[in-house]
Amino acid sequence: MFEIMMELVNDVRNYDGTCSGTTIYKIPFEESDVVVDLDTLFEGITNSDVECNPFEIKPQAYILCGRLLIDGKEHQIKLISMNSPITILKNKFMNKKGKFKEIKEKIGKVPGLAIVLVGENPASKIYVNSKIKGCAELGFESFAHYLPENVTEEELLNVIRELNADEKVDGILVQLPLPKHIDEKKVVETIAFSKDVDGFNPINVGKLAIGEKSFISCTPYGVVKMLEEYNINPEGKNVVIIGRSNIVGKPLLQCLLNKNATITICHSKTRDIKAITKNADILIAAVGRPHFVTEDMVKDGAVVIDVGINRNEEGKLIGDVDFENVEKKASYITPVPGGVGPMTIAMLMNNVVEAAKMQNGI
Ligand code: NAP
């Protein structure tokens, strides 16, 4: 926690632009966590509430709220950062260049990810671009295959078969959803399970279910890593997941069950969801409905993870959680955007490295 905070402080010091809009990320500190001098922190800004002074806040700026002990006296403080703690976490997972160099030396090439996009879905194009960017950031090779909307199922399966056999390709990802005439199940089953960095192949799904090492779907894996990084141990906790999809809810259930959590899954047929969510020590929303989780559904001090990505009427990205009101009750809460999303990319890259190791017997 302390390390993360200092990174945030460095960001504040290096920042000299102007900003507008605000996103708040809240982390409670124990009194003993840090002892600092405010003047040193903000170079002359002595106001303990620096939210408005002298910085205006950028859309991507984050404020870290907490209590600091200064000369034995407790202060409420908000630290402004250009990076969310989650982005910092993502960078931590992705900037393992030393490790990647070592792999390159061992296998004689950098890890390679093949990405297949069918059609022109604008959201899918954005996701694919961010994955290609993630590869570039880390010095991985990426092989993008753009196929027309009317590609036949057999043509797509043949592309996957070629990628399965291609030694340059360590991981294969087919961006979902696919056009209706293509059977997604056949597609994920055709991807070799040893290159299935999305963790959707039934072999990987089954291995996860029985607690064996497998590729884990990147979004649930990102949630698990986030909890680990913040020392939030799910063991013995009441975890409530809203959503039971194959890509989020179900793998999350398996991951957290493997970590000894007591889990309840809610879905569209669940009665009185509020009565269930009110008991959650850790509440995870993967519903796909804007601001579905409201303040009255959350227990005081709960950890709230928002997987949802939705757009409001103005086209702005918002989560499944009413962040503004729920953050007052939560001990930890993830923002949208900038929360689970970046972790998903980070875990994809992590899986590509694992796949490269597996292909090369490391
Ligand atoms: P999905 O396949 O549509 O599943 C949604 C789940 O929510 C279903 O299990 C559904 O129940 C349940 N649900 C829908 N309405 C409900 C209601 N009124 N009450 C209770 N449960 C309800 O969605 P998904 O693919 O899991 O994605 C969920 C959200 O996460 C979406 O916003 C998606 O964009 C986002 N997402 C984000 C990332 C990321 O990287 N951050 C990755 C993947 C997905 P039934 O099963 O009964 O229909």
Side-chain angles (χ1 to χ4, degrees):
M1 194 67 76
F2 185 67
E3 199 184 298
I4 286 168
M5 205 187 84
M6 292 316 289
E7 286 187 66
L8 287 167
V9 172
N10 285 338
D11 276 347
V12 172
R13 283 183 170 179
N14 294 334
Y15 183 67
D16 62 0
T18 54
C19 359
S20 61
T22 175
T23 309
I24 308 243
Y25 190 87
K26 184 177 165 189
I27 297 180
F29 289 98
E30 293 304 324
E31 280 183 21
S32 58
D33 272 348
V34 278
V35 179
V36 288
D37 179 292
L38 261 191
D39 281 356
T40 317
L41 270 181
F42 293 105
E43 294 177 332
I45 306 157
T46 50
N47 186 346
S48 64
D49 179 0
V50 295
E51 186 181 348
C52 308
N53 180 19
F55 306 101
E56 292 170 75
I57 322 256
K58 239 185 181 171
Q60 290 86 1
Y62 288 81
I63 301 170
L64 180 59
C65 307
R67 289 178 295 143
L68 296 182
L69 200 63
I70 300 156
D71 295 336
K73 216 172 135 208
E74 189 183 299
H75 291 257
Q76 285 289 333
I77 189 164
K78 291 174 178 178
L79 305 180
I80 303 171
S81 166
M82 292 307 105
N83 280 327
S84 77
I86 302 299
T87 307
I88 292 166
L89 203 59
K90 183 197 82 168
N91 292 340
K92 193 169 151 184
F93 279 111
M94 291 179 66
N95 289 341
K96 291 179 177 166
K97 290 194 175 159
K99 189 174 150 199
F100 298 149
K101 198 170 152 226
E102 189 188 310
I103 290 171
K104 190 181 165 189
E105 276 159 14
K106 279 192 181 151
I107 66 179
K109 69 171 192 71
V110 292
L113 172 66
I115 304 175
V116 182
L117 174 65
V118 179
E120 301 289 327
N121 182 323
S124 294
K125 278 186 180 171
I126 293 172
Y127 294 140
V128 164
N129 285 340
S130 61
K131 288 162 189 173
I132 292 172
K133 208 171 133 214
C135 286
E137 268 180 50
L138 292 171
F140 293 0
E141 267 202 272
S142 61
F143 310 95
H145 294 257
Y146 298 102
L147 305 178
E149 183 84 24
N150 62 356
V151 69
T152 66
E153 185 177 278
E154 199 45 35
E155 282 167 335
L156 172 59
L157 296 181
N158 279 336
V159 170
I160 296 171
R161 287 178 193 121
E162 278 168 26
L163 295 173
N164 283 342
D166 187 339
E167 285 184 3
K168 292 193 295 304
V169 173
D170 298 298
I172 303 170
L173 179 156
V174 177
Q175 187 64 46
L176 303 179
L178 291 167
K180 288 207 169 25
H181 66 277
I182 297 175
D183 183 350
E184 280 186 7
K185 196 164 156 281
K186 267 195 203 163
V187 170
V188 293
E189 282 173 3
T190 302
I191 298 172
F193 81 90
S194 58
K195 295 192 177 186
D196 171 36
V197 285
D198 250 344
F200 295 157
N201 181 297
I203 295 179
N204 283 316
V205 174
K207 280 173 175 262
L208 176 65
I210 56 172
E212 272 186 23
K213 193 172 183 299
S214 62
F215 286 114
I216 303 174
S217 171
C218 305
T219 302
Y221 199 12
V223 172
V224 170
K225 282 286 166 200
M226 208 160 20
L227 293 175
E228 267 176 24
E229 199 62 25
Y230 283 85
N231 289 325
I232 301 165
N233 185 355
E235 181 162 316
K237 302 253 168 59
N238 276 338
V239 176
V240 174
I241 302 168
I242 317 176
R244 58 173 166 180
S245 71
N246 289 338
I247 60 167
V248 188
K250 283 182 196 157
L252 250 179
L253 161 77
Q254 299 296 350
C255 289
L256 296 174
L257 197 57
N258 290 344
K259 290 188 170 286
N260 299 321
T262 304
I263 303 167
T264 311
I265 291 247
C266 300
H267 47 78
S268 66
K269 306 289 182 291
T270 305
R271 287 192 214 135
D272 197 1
I273 287 195
K274 188 161 101 177
I276 298 167
T277 58
K278 283 287 270 182
N279 272 326
D281 302 311
I282 301 174
L283 177 59
I284 304 170
V287 199
R289 292 182 185 249
H291 291 185
F292 182 86
V293 175
T294 47
E295 193 186 348
D296 57 336
M297 295 168 74
V298 179
K299 182 167 91 172
D300 275 330
V303 172
V304 180
I305 309 279
D306 191 351
V307 179
I309 301 177
N310 313 286
R311 284 196 189 273
N312 66 9
E313 294 89 45
E314 293 102 58
K316 199 176 148 219
L317 282 186
I318 57 168
D320 287 349
V321 176
D322 177 6
F323 185 93
E324 209 177 309
N325 294 307
V326 172
E327 74 100 15
K328 293 174 197 145
K329 284 182 115 178
S331 58
Y332 290 79
I333 182 166
T334 62
V336 176
V340 174
M343 285 305 289
T344 300
I345 303 280
M347 298 330 292
L348 171 66
M349 297 304 148
N350 181 78
N351 283 353
V352 174
V353 175
E354 290 307 313
K357 281 159 60 179
M358 200 191 279
Q359 311 303 324
N360 293 280
I362 297 174

